[in-house]
Amino acid sequence: IKQVFINIITNAIQAIPARGKINIKAEKIKHRVRIKIHDTGCGMDEKTMKHMFEPLYSSKTKGIGLGMAIVFDIIKSHDGTIQVESKVNKGTTVSIFLPLK
């Protein structure tokens, strides 16, 4: 799970301008926990959103395209799910849902 947060927060840091923000919130919803990570960065277009969890897909010139694929696999291996909302020039919100055990 540590790697999940490293990858998502690294992406957020790379997407935000000098005065951008990253907010992290966790809350219990029934028998699950939702962790929301929101950044005020550049956001993603529909093409990037469609392919973001595919191995070797990257919208970055220096990216290798494994970060979000790894995130997806780790969350899935913990019986969780992940949702992403993003708007170009508005930012991105990643919501991770994990079961409480």
Side-chain angles (χ1 to χ4, degrees), residues 12-26:
I13 290 168
Q14 292 172 350
I16 59 176
R19 299 222 179 244
K21 293 182 182 181
I22 299 171
N23 295 309
I24 302 170
K25 179 181 177 182

Side-chain angles (χ1 to χ4, degrees), residues 81-93:
T81 58
I82 186 166
Q83 296 175 349
V84 181
E85 298 173 31
S86 188
K87 292 187 179 181
V88 175
N89 299 320
K90 298 289 183 184
T92 300
T93 301

Side-chain angles (χ1 to χ4, degrees), residues 21-37:
K21 293 182 182 181
I22 299 171
N23 295 309
I24 302 170
K25 179 181 177 182
E27 61 184 332
K28 182 180 173 188
I29 302 173
K30 296 185 182 182
H31 301 289
R32 301 172 83 182
V33 62
R34 174 173 65 183
I35 302 132
K36 287 176 74 172
I37 303 168

Side-chain angles (χ1 to χ4, degrees), residues 32-46:
R32 301 172 83 182
V33 62
R34 174 173 65 183
I35 302 132
K36 287 176 74 172
I37 303 168
H38 173 76
D39 69 65
T40 59
C42 60
M44 293 180 278
D45 61 24
E46 288 184 33

